[in-house]
């Protein structure tokens, strides 16, 4: 619990719905950590609502974030520290987002290297991914890899935690995991491991890819292969309750990058780099 607190403190972050900041939590640090540990060990821990914050994006859209309370962030970190090692053993090497010793720059470097070998790229973005994750499908994956009953119990409670909007009204959540939660990126990677990574490896063995959370690049040998892959993945994601973003998903011919004028016409944006 102490290590979880240290990690949350290092990440900083604002207060949740209870308006308690990290500084306020630290005023009775030992007592607050003991209280949280006692509730979690007895099964009486229930997370508070997640505070919804909307962040403007460069394209004019809005990214909804869900900010748990400090106590809930520490509780999530405690579970994350215990299960991450097990999940990491199964994750695909070309999954780069929110993972130890992985980075966006590594993903971009791999994209550039592979673009010279395979001319066609399917550049994909999943629309509203974090808010669209199917709880039942995610929990099937959790139950496969997370062995402790109490860990599965609290993951389920975090998924079901309600959302408090800016105007104060509370909304129940039946799907999704809040982007902003400590354990959400790990759960998101687990979901897409089965929805995409593992599935593509089984059914499209010749296709190489890089994935950073819900930003995905697939390398294809021909335009026909890219078109067929996009059609197949549309169906696959639909089966998993997800939708490819119609404006941010496209097929690009990468070999044209050798010509600067052509590069400007067909280039694609991966992770803003």
């Amino acid at each position: 619990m102490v290590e979880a607190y240290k990690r949350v403190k290092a990440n900083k972050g604002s207060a949740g719905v209870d308006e308690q900041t990290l500084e306020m939590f630290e005023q009775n640090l030992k007592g607050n950590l003991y209280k949280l540990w006692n509730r979690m060990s007895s099964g009486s821990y229930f997370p508070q609502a997640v505070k919804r914050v909307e962040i403007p994006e460069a394209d004019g859209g809005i990214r909804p974030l869900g900010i748990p309370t400090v106590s809930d962030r520490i509780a999530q970190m405690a579970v994350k520290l215990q299960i991450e090692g097990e999940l990491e053993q199964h994750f695909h090497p070309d999954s780069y987002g929110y993972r130890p010793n992985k980075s966006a720059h590594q993903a971009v470097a791999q994209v550039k290297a592979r673009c010279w070998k395979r001319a066609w790229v399917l550049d994909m973005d999943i629309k509203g991914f974090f808010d669209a994750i199917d709880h039942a499908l995610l929990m099937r994956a959790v139950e496969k890899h997370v062995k402790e009953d109490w860990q599965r119990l609290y993951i389920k409670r975090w998924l079901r935690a309600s959302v408090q909007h800016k105007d104060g009204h509370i909304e129940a959540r039946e799907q999704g995991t809040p982007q902003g939660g400590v354990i959400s990126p790990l759960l998101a990677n687990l979901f897409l491991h089965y929805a995409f990574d593992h599935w593509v490896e089984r059914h499209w063995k010749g296709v190489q890819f890089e994935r950073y959370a819900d930003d995905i690049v697939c390398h294809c040998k021909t335009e026909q292969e890219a078109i067929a892959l996009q059609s197949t993945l549309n169906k696959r994601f639909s089966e998993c309750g997800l939708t490819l973003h119609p404006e941010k998903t496209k097929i690009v011919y990468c070999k044209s990058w050798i010509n600067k004028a052509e590069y400007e016409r067909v280039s694609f944006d991966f992770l803003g780099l």
Side-chain angles (χ1 to χ4, degrees):
M1 196 63 71
V2 172
E3 178 60 25
Y5 154 73
K6 291 179 179 178
R7 299 285 186 98
V8 169
K9 179 178 174 63
N11 292 336
K12 300 181 180 179
S14 58
V17 295
D18 61 357
E19 301 299 331
Q20 184 183 51
T21 64
L22 275 162
E23 292 74 18
M24 294 167 64
F25 186 90
E26 290 167 344
Q27 290 175 8
N28 183 22
L29 180 59
K30 186 175 180 180
N32 285 330
L33 289 178
Y34 174 78
K35 185 190 301 182
L36 181 58
W37 170 83
N38 188 51
R39 289 165 57 206
M40 292 189 74
S41 62
S42 66
S44 61
Y45 163 75
F46 286 87
Q48 297 186 65
V50 172
K51 183 179 181 180
R52 187 180 180 93
V53 178
E54 295 183 343
I55 306 297
E57 293 188 309
D59 61 2
I62 296 292
R63 176 186 298 177
L65 297 183
I67 311 299
T69 65
V70 172
S71 292
D72 289 336
R73 297 207 297 272
I74 294 171
Q76 289 185 22
M77 182 65 77
V79 172
K80 179 187 174 185
L81 291 174
Q82 294 197 26
I83 69 174
E84 188 171 42
E86 160 63 19
L87 297 183
E88 277 291 322
Q89 296 179 48
H90 303 279
F91 286 166
H92 196 282
D94 285 319
S95 166
Y96 293 87
Y98 312 114
R99 295 183 61 191
N101 304 313
K102 296 276 192 176
S103 71
H105 289 285
Q106 290 174 342
V108 171
Q110 187 70 285
V111 169
K112 290 180 178 179
R114 286 173 172 167
C115 276
W116 291 111
K117 298 177 181 179
R118 300 193 179 195
W120 293 92
V121 154
L122 173 58
D123 179 27
M124 297 181 290
D125 181 272
I126 300 173
K127 187 175 182 181
F129 168 61
F130 278 85
D131 285 337
I133 291 176
D134 184 291
H135 286 177
L137 291 179
L138 175 56
M139 286 308 300
R140 281 172 56 184
V142 168
E143 288 162 6
K144 179 179 176 67
H145 295 285
V146 179
K147 304 307 180 183
E148 296 289 339
D149 289 339
W150 68 271
Q151 294 169 347
R152 296 198 297 265
L153 171 67
Y154 291 138
I155 288 172
K156 188 177 295 185
R157 288 181 184 176
W158 288 320
L159 290 175
R160 293 177 176 175
S162 56
V163 177
Q164 180 176 296
H165 291 264
K166 187 176 181 180
D167 62 5
H169 86 272
I170 303 293
E171 177 186 2
R173 188 172 63 222
E174 298 181 356
Q175 64 182 35
T177 182
Q179 190 171 2
V182 170
I183 205 168
S184 292
L186 182 59
L187 296 179
N189 272 333
L190 178 60
F191 188 89
L192 280 180
H193 173 74
Y194 286 106
F196 176 78
D197 303 354
H198 183 61
W199 188 88
V200 167
E201 196 171 49
R202 287 175 56 203
H203 296 280
W204 289 76
K205 294 183 179 180
V207 171
Q208 296 175 315
F209 69 87
E210 298 81 29
R211 181 176 66 78
Y212 194 97
D214 59 326
D215 288 319
I216 308 169
V217 166
C218 293
H219 303 269
C220 301
K221 295 177 180 178
T222 65
E223 182 180 19
Q224 290 73 24
E225 184 181 38
I227 292 171
L229 180 60
Q230 181 175 3
S231 176
T232 301
L233 286 175
N234 268 319
K235 296 176 183 176
R236 171 59 180 171
F237 284 131
S238 179
E239 291 170 355
C240 298
L242 303 175
T243 305
L244 287 178
H245 198 296
E247 297 174 1
K248 297 181 180 179
T249 298
K250 54 187 177 293
I251 293 173
V252 177
Y253 183 64
C254 292
K255 288 288 181 70
S256 295
W257 285 11
I258 199 167
N259 179 294
K260 186 175 187 302
E262 192 71 5
Y263 169 83
E264 292 174 346
R265 184 173 69 82
V266 303
S267 65
F268 64 97
D269 175 25
F270 181 58
L271 304 178
L273 300 173

